[in-house]
Amino acid sequence: MGSDIDEAVRLVESTTGDVMIREYTTIHDSEIGDGCRIYERCSIKKSYLSEGVDINAGSYVENADIGSHVQIGPNCSVVGVTHELHDQGMVFRDDIFERIILHDRVFVGTNAVLGPGVEIGSGSVIAAGAAVTQDIDSGKIVLGSPPAQQIEELDHWTGD
């Protein structure tokens, strides 16, 4: 098949397999596996993408390990970086890296936010607009954001 990488893509200290990367995407310090499709205006930093991962337009991924056949919807934030908070506020420019792990076949809906250090189990679904701040077991669906968040068995949700 051969890679299809738009000329407006910026690759810095990164490797790619046989991939498709659309315009105005930046990839820094990352490894992108075969069969990945990364759409326009994405930013990927310090991350590993296994084979067959789709990252849709406008998404930001930093400090993440992403399993095979994961799909991340448009305008998502998968951010494995945080800052220490003191009574005077956040410590400026003192990043704390807490790796995010998405296991195989995870689906992340549009505008979802995955916070630092979370691990999402195989086959789980993160609904559009959800915010995830805790680990999620395999086969779950996450709806909404804390404190009113629902985490349910995916097979109960789908009726299977």
Side-chain angles (χ1 to χ4, degrees), residues 43-66:
S43 181
I44 300 170
K45 297 178 180 178
K46 297 179 175 69
S47 295
Y48 169 80
L49 279 59
S50 190
E51 69 275 352
V53 173
D54 284 0
I55 300 180
N56 282 280
S59 290
Y60 181 84
V61 176
E62 184 172 4
N63 198 34
D65 286 334
I66 299 177

PDB file of all heavy atoms in Angstrom, residues 43-66:
ATOM      1  N   SER A  43      -2.279  16.570  17.042  1.00  0.00           N
ATOM      2  CA  SER A  43      -0.968  16.692  17.653  1.00  0.00           C
ATOM      3  C   SER A  43      -0.738  15.447  18.490  1.00  0.00           C
ATOM      4  O   SER A  43      -1.579  15.100  19.327  1.00  0.00           O
ATOM      5  CB  SER A  43      -0.902  17.949  18.516  1.00  0.00           C
ATOM      6  OG  SER A  43       0.384  18.074  19.102  1.00  0.00           O
ATOM      7  N   ILE A  44       0.391  14.784  18.255  1.00  0.00           N
ATOM      8  CA  ILE A  44       0.738  13.564  18.992  1.00  0.00           C
ATOM      9  C   ILE A  44       2.147  13.745  19.525  1.00  0.00           C
ATOM     10  O   ILE A  44       3.071  14.033  18.768  1.00  0.00           O
ATOM     11  CB  ILE A  44       0.643  12.332  18.083  1.00  0.00           C
ATOM     12  CG1 ILE A  44      -0.783  12.197  17.549  1.00  0.00           C
ATOM     13  CG2 ILE A  44       1.076  11.074  18.835  1.00  0.00           C
ATOM     14  CD1 ILE A  44      -0.944  11.172  16.459  1.00  0.00           C
ATOM     15  N   LYS A  45       2.300  13.569  20.848  1.00  0.00           N
ATOM     16  CA  LYS A  45       3.603  13.759  21.494  1.00  0.00           C
ATOM     17  C   LYS A  45       3.884  12.610  22.455  1.00  0.00           C
ATOM     18  O   LYS A  45       2.987  12.172  23.182  1.00  0.00           O
ATOM     19  CB  LYS A  45       3.628  15.062  22.306  1.00  0.00           C
ATOM     20  CG  LYS A  45       3.447  16.315  21.501  1.00  0.00           C
ATOM     21  CD  LYS A  45       3.450  17.512  22.432  1.00  0.00           C
ATOM     22  CE  LYS A  45       3.259  18.797  21.665  1.00  0.00           C
ATOM     23  NZ  LYS A  45       3.207  19.952  22.576  1.00  0.00           N
ATOM     24  N   LYS A  46       5.121  12.145  22.473  1.00  0.00           N
ATOM     25  CA  LYS A  46       5.586  11.152  23.445  1.00  0.00           C
ATOM     26  C   LYS A  46       4.626   9.971  23.566  1.00  0.00           C
ATOM     27  O   LYS A  46       4.287   9.536  24.669  1.00  0.00           O
ATOM     28  CB  LYS A  46       5.785  11.795  24.817  1.00  0.00           C
ATOM     29  CG  LYS A  46       6.856  12.870  24.850  1.00  0.00           C
ATOM     30  CD  LYS A  46       6.971  13.476  26.240  1.00  0.00           C
ATOM     31  CE  LYS A  46       8.094  14.447  26.371  1.00  0.00           C
ATOM     32  NZ  LYS A  46       7.967  15.686  25.668  1.00  0.00           N
ATOM     33  N   SER A  47       4.196   9.427  22.420  1.00  0.00           N
ATOM     34  CA  SER A  47       3.191   8.371  22.433  1.00  0.00           C
ATOM     35  C   SER A  47       3.577   7.213  21.534  1.00  0.00           C
ATOM     36  O   SER A  47       4.407   7.352  20.642  1.00  0.00           O
ATOM     37  CB  SER A  47       1.836   8.932  22.002  1.00  0.00           C
ATOM     38  OG  SER A  47       1.377   9.869  22.951  1.00  0.00           O
ATOM     39  N   TYR A  48       2.942   6.066  21.796  1.00  0.00           N
ATOM     40  CA  TYR A  48       3.104   4.867  20.977  1.00  0.00           C
ATOM     41  C   TYR A  48       1.723   4.453  20.489  1.00  0.00           C
ATOM     42  O   TYR A  48       0.798   4.284  21.291  1.00  0.00           O
ATOM     43  CB  TYR A  48       3.725   3.727  21.793  1.00  0.00           C
ATOM     44  CG  TYR A  48       3.655   2.410  21.075  1.00  0.00           C
ATOM     45  CD1 TYR A  48       4.577   2.106  20.077  1.00  0.00           C
ATOM     46  CD2 TYR A  48       2.656   1.485  21.360  1.00  0.00           C
ATOM     47  CE1 TYR A  48       4.503   0.910  19.391  1.00  0.00           C
ATOM     48  CE2 TYR A  48       2.579   0.288  20.674  1.00  0.00           C
ATOM     49  CZ  TYR A  48       3.504   0.001  19.683  1.00  0.00           C
ATOM     50  OH  TYR A  48       3.421  -1.183  18.992  1.00  0.00           O
ATOM     51  N   LEU A  49       1.578   4.324  19.166  1.00  0.00           N
ATOM     52  CA  LEU A  49       0.338   3.846  18.567  1.00  0.00           C
ATOM     53  C   LEU A  49       0.617   2.502  17.911  1.00  0.00           C
ATOM     54  O   LEU A  49       1.493   2.397  17.049  1.00  0.00           O
ATOM     55  CB  LEU A  49      -0.177   4.810  17.498  1.00  0.00           C
ATOM     56  CG  LEU A  49      -0.954   6.053  17.932  1.00  0.00           C
ATOM     57  CD1 LEU A  49      -0.137   6.941  18.839  1.00  0.00           C
ATOM     58  CD2 LEU A  49      -1.451   6.805  16.722  1.00  0.00           C
ATOM     59  N   SER A  50      -0.108   1.479  18.318  1.00  0.00           N
ATOM     60  CA  SER A  50       0.017   0.155  17.737  1.00  0.00           C
ATOM     61  C   SER A  50      -0.594   0.182  16.327  1.00  0.00           C
ATOM     62  O   SER A  50      -0.853   1.254  15.783  1.00  0.00           O
ATOM     63  CB  SER A  50      -0.683  -0.864  18.645  1.00  0.00           C
ATOM     64  OG  SER A  50      -0.402  -2.171  18.240  1.00  0.00           O
ATOM     65  N   GLU A  51      -0.877  -0.976  15.759  1.00  0.00           N
ATOM     66  CA  GLU A  51      -1.389  -1.020  14.387  1.00  0.00           C
ATOM     67  C   GLU A  51      -2.891  -0.724  14.336  1.00  0.00           C
ATOM     68  O   GLU A  51      -3.635  -1.016  15.268  1.00  0.00           O
ATOM     69  CB  GLU A  51      -1.083  -2.367  13.726  1.00  0.00           C
ATOM     70  CG  GLU A  51      -1.835  -3.534  14.297  1.00  0.00           C
ATOM     71  CD  GLU A  51      -1.181  -4.146  15.524  1.00  0.00           C
ATOM     72  OE1 GLU A  51      -0.052  -3.790  15.887  1.00  0.00           O
ATOM     73  OE2 GLU A  51      -1.845  -4.989  16.153  1.00  0.00           O
ATOM     74  N   GLY A  52      -3.299  -0.119  13.214  1.00  0.00           N
ATOM     75  CA  GLY A  52      -4.703   0.099  12.926  1.00  0.00           C
ATOM     76  C   GLY A  52      -5.405   1.116  13.804  1.00  0.00           C
ATOM     77  O   GLY A  52      -6.617   1.036  13.989  1.00  0.00           O
ATOM     78  N   VAL A  53      -4.698   2.086  14.315  1.00  0.00           N
ATOM     79  CA  VAL A  53      -5.296   3.127  15.162  1.00  0.00           C
ATOM     80  C   VAL A  53      -5.779   4.275  14.281  1.00  0.00           C
ATOM     81  O   VAL A  53      -5.078   4.700  13.371  1.00  0.00           O
ATOM     82  CB  VAL A  53      -4.268   3.647  16.198  1.00  0.00           C
ATOM     83  CG1 VAL A  53      -4.816   4.837  16.982  1.00  0.00           C
ATOM     84  CG2 VAL A  53      -3.842   2.527  17.130  1.00  0.00           C
ATOM     85  N   ASP A  54      -6.978   4.767  14.555  1.00  0.00           N
ATOM     86  CA  ASP A  54      -7.510   5.960  13.889  1.00  0.00           C
ATOM     87  C   ASP A  54      -7.606   7.083  14.908  1.00  0.00           C
ATOM     88  O   ASP A  54      -8.197   6.899  15.984  1.00  0.00           O
ATOM     89  CB  ASP A  54      -8.906   5.721  13.328  1.00  0.00           C
ATOM     90  CG  ASP A  54      -8.917   4.891  12.056  1.00  0.00           C
ATOM     91  OD1 ASP A  54      -7.838   4.482  11.587  1.00  0.00           O
ATOM     92  OD2 ASP A  54     -10.023   4.646  11.544  1.00  0.00           O
ATOM     93  N   ILE A  55      -7.024   8.237  14.572  1.00  0.00           N
ATOM     94  CA  ILE A  55      -7.174   9.434  15.392  1.00  0.00           C
ATOM     95  C   ILE A  55      -7.782  10.504  14.494  1.00  0.00           C
ATOM     96  O   ILE A  55      -7.180  10.912  13.501  1.00  0.00           O
ATOM     97  CB  ILE A  55      -5.828   9.894  15.989  1.00  0.00           C
ATOM     98  CG1 ILE A  55      -5.245   8.786  16.880  1.00  0.00           C
ATOM     99  CG2 ILE A  55      -6.033  11.188  16.776  1.00  0.00           C
ATOM    100  CD1 ILE A  55      -3.924   9.114  17.512  1.00  0.00           C
ATOM    101  N   ASN A  56      -8.985  10.923  14.841  1.00  0.00           N
ATOM    102  CA  ASN A  56      -9.726  11.841  13.993  1.00  0.00           C
ATOM    103  C   ASN A  56      -9.334  13.300  14.217  1.00  0.00           C
ATOM    104  O   ASN A  56      -8.653  13.647  15.188  1.00  0.00           O
ATOM    105  CB  ASN A  56     -11.225  11.632  14.198  1.00  0.00           C
ATOM    106  CG  ASN A  56     -11.698  10.403  13.453  1.00  0.00           C
ATOM    107  OD1 ASN A  56     -11.914  10.451  12.259  1.00  0.00           O
ATOM    108  ND2 ASN A  56     -11.826   9.284  14.156  1.00  0.00           N
ATOM    109  N   ALA A  57      -9.792  14.150  13.328  1.00  0.00           N
ATOM    110  CA  ALA A  57      -9.372  15.543  13.214  1.00  0.00           C
ATOM    111  C   ALA A  57      -9.438  16.305  14.534  1.00  0.00           C
ATOM    112  O   ALA A  57     -10.369  16.161  15.317  1.00  0.00           O
ATOM    113  CB  ALA A  57     -10.229  16.256  12.174  1.00  0.00           C
ATOM    114  N   GLY A  58      -8.409  17.109  14.766  1.00  0.00           N
ATOM    115  CA  GLY A  58      -8.382  18.035  15.877  1.00  0.00           C
ATOM    116  C   GLY A  58      -8.074  17.423  17.226  1.00  0.00           C
ATOM    117  O   GLY A  58      -8.205  18.098  18.240  1.00  0.00           O
ATOM    118  N   SER A  59      -7.648  16.176  17.266  1.00  0.00           N
ATOM    119  CA  SER A  59      -7.375  15.528  18.555  1.00  0.00           C
ATOM    120  C   SER A  59      -5.946  15.764  19.006  1.00  0.00           C
ATOM    121  O   SER A  59      -5.044  15.965  18.202  1.00  0.00           O
ATOM    122  CB  SER A  59      -7.661  14.034  18.468  1.00  0.00           C
ATOM    123  OG  SER A  59      -9.048  13.817  18.367  1.00  0.00           O
ATOM    124  N   TYR A  60      -5.767  15.722  20.334  1.00  0.00           N
ATOM    125  CA  TYR A  60      -4.464  15.923  20.963  1.00  0.00           C
ATOM    126  C   TYR A  60      -4.159  14.699  21.817  1.00  0.00           C
ATOM    127  O   TYR A  60      -4.968  14.308  22.667  1.00  0.00           O
ATOM    128  CB  TYR A  60      -4.505  17.182  21.835  1.00  0.00           C
ATOM    129  CG  TYR A  60      -3.200  17.493  22.511  1.00  0.00           C
ATOM    130  CD1 TYR A  60      -2.206  18.190  21.831  1.00  0.00           C
ATOM    131  CD2 TYR A  60      -2.956  17.083  23.815  1.00  0.00           C
ATOM    132  CE1 TYR A  60      -0.990  18.478  22.453  1.00  0.00           C
ATOM    133  CE2 TYR A  60      -1.748  17.367  24.436  1.00  0.00           C
ATOM    134  CZ  TYR A  60      -0.777  18.062  23.744  1.00  0.00           C
ATOM    135  OH  TYR A  60       0.428  18.342  24.354  1.00  0.00           O
ATOM    136  N   VAL A  61      -3.008  14.076  21.568  1.00  0.00           N
ATOM    137  CA  VAL A  61      -2.590  12.879  22.310  1.00  0.00           C
ATOM    138  C   VAL A  61      -1.175  13.124  22.816  1.00  0.00           C
ATOM    139  O   VAL A  61      -0.276  13.413  22.024  1.00  0.00           O
ATOM    140  CB  VAL A  61      -2.624  11.630  21.400  1.00  0.00           C
ATOM    141  CG1 VAL A  61      -2.092  10.412  22.138  1.00  0.00           C
ATOM    142  CG2 VAL A  61      -4.031  11.387  20.863  1.00  0.00           C
ATOM    143  N   GLU A  62      -0.986  13.006  24.145  1.00  0.00           N
ATOM    144  CA  GLU A  62       0.350  13.165  24.718  1.00  0.00           C
ATOM    145  C   GLU A  62       0.568  12.157  25.831  1.00  0.00           C
ATOM    146  O   GLU A  62      -0.280  11.984  26.703  1.00  0.00           O
ATOM    147  CB  GLU A  62       0.556  14.578  25.268  1.00  0.00           C
ATOM    148  CG  GLU A  62       1.968  14.782  25.785  1.00  0.00           C
ATOM    149  CD  GLU A  62       2.297  16.211  26.166  1.00  0.00           C
ATOM    150  OE1 GLU A  62       1.414  17.087  26.103  1.00  0.00           O
ATOM    151  OE2 GLU A  62       3.465  16.467  26.533  1.00  0.00           O
ATOM    152  N   ASN A  63       1.721  11.486  25.778  1.00  0.00           N
ATOM    153  CA  ASN A  63       2.157  10.543  26.806  1.00  0.00           C
ATOM    154  C   ASN A  63       1.175   9.383  26.945  1.00  0.00           C
ATOM    155  O   ASN A  63       0.665   9.109  28.025  1.00  0.00           O
ATOM    156  CB  ASN A  63       2.359  11.266  28.141  1.00  0.00           C
ATOM    157  CG  ASN A  63       3.201  10.457  29.104  1.00  0.00           C
ATOM    158  OD1 ASN A  63       4.104   9.738  28.705  1.00  0.00           O
ATOM    159  ND2 ASN A  63       2.897  10.576  30.376  1.00  0.00           N
ATOM    160  N   ALA A  64       0.923   8.691  25.818  1.00  0.00           N
ATOM    161  CA  ALA A  64      -0.047   7.598  25.801  1.00  0.00           C
ATOM    162  C   ALA A  64       0.500   6.373  25.073  1.00  0.00           C
ATOM    163  O   ALA A  64       1.261   6.506  24.109  1.00  0.00           O
ATOM    164  CB  ALA A  64      -1.339   8.063  25.132  1.00  0.00           C
ATOM    165  N   ASP A  65       0.092   5.193  25.540  1.00  0.00           N
ATOM    166  CA  ASP A  65       0.310   3.926  24.841  1.00  0.00           C
ATOM    167  C   ASP A  65      -1.053   3.476  24.348  1.00  0.00           C
ATOM    168  O   ASP A  65      -1.968   3.244  25.157  1.00  0.00           O
ATOM    169  CB  ASP A  65       0.878   2.855  25.777  1.00  0.00           C
ATOM    170  CG  ASP A  65       2.338   3.081  26.122  1.00  0.00           C
ATOM    171  OD1 ASP A  65       3.055   3.712  25.315  1.00  0.00           O
ATOM    172  OD2 ASP A  65       2.759   2.628  27.197  1.00  0.00           O
ATOM    173  N   ILE A  66      -1.176   3.322  23.027  1.00  0.00           N
ATOM    174  CA  ILE A  66      -2.472   3.023  22.428  1.00  0.00           C
ATOM    175  C   ILE A  66      -2.388   1.675  21.720  1.00  0.00           C
ATOM    176  O   ILE A  66      -1.557   1.483  20.836  1.00  0.00           O
ATOM    177  CB  ILE A  66      -2.895   4.147  21.466  1.00  0.00           C
ATOM    178  CG1 ILE A  66      -3.006   5.459  22.260  1.00  0.00           C
ATOM    179  CG2 ILE A  66      -4.193   3.796  20.768  1.00  0.00           C
ATOM    180  CD1 ILE A  66      -3.346   6.665  21.432  1.00  0.00           C
TER     181      ILE A  66
END
